[in-house]
Amino acid sequence: MVAIHCAECNIPYRANSLGLFVCAGCGKLLDPADIDLDGQESWTVDKSGTLGYVVESSDSLAESHTGDQVSTAINKGADLVIEALGLGEGPEVDAINLVVNSAIRCLENPGIGFAEVVKTCYDESVEEILGWWGWGY
Ligand SMILES: [Zn+2]
């Protein structure tokens, strides 16, 4: 962790009981919302209450897969499960494929609902899909 210092006093900010950070030198208060960091940095507080920042590890950076990579991985995962479980045509495979399609649409549009997923991925209505295997009854 790299301590964040008061620009005027060069003293690290410390957490106070109100959830704000205070400079012991000039008493300047720093609101967590006003902590200005680069995209790869996150603020943190050490055991002594000193405010600082850390640069996120490459583990967190690995989250930035492309949509294509995620889509391929989800499809591959579905195939592995379908094959390992010996699933043929049936409700399980259809349900897995609904998950795959929904997950990929959610990647593009996190607020999407099931009806919208169905509209963009299937030629059938929600009611028809619910009727495939007697789902939703
Ligand atoms: Zn200060």
Side-chain angles (χ1 to χ4, degrees), residues 9-92:
C9 315
N10 203 29
I11 294 172
Y13 284 101
R14 304 284 298 265
N16 73 7
S17 58
L18 300 171
L20 298 171
F21 299 102
V22 61
C23 167
C26 64
K28 187 183 172 210
L29 288 170
L30 180 65
D31 190 285
D34 295 333
I35 300 171
D36 188 24
L37 295 170
D38 284 347
Q40 289 170 21
E41 296 167 351
S42 316
W43 66 267
T44 183
V45 177
D46 72 9
K47 274 186 228 144
S48 70
T50 301
L51 173 67
Y53 68 89
V54 289
V55 177
E56 287 179 25
S57 69
S58 55
D59 282 353
S60 334
L61 294 176
E63 284 168 15
S64 54
H65 292 295
T66 65
D68 277 354
Q69 286 173 311
V70 174
S71 164
T72 303
I74 294 170
N75 276 294
K76 186 104 189 287
D79 289 346
L80 289 175
V81 171
I82 290 166
E83 199 185 320
L85 272 55
L87 301 175
E89 299 267 303
E92 293 91 351

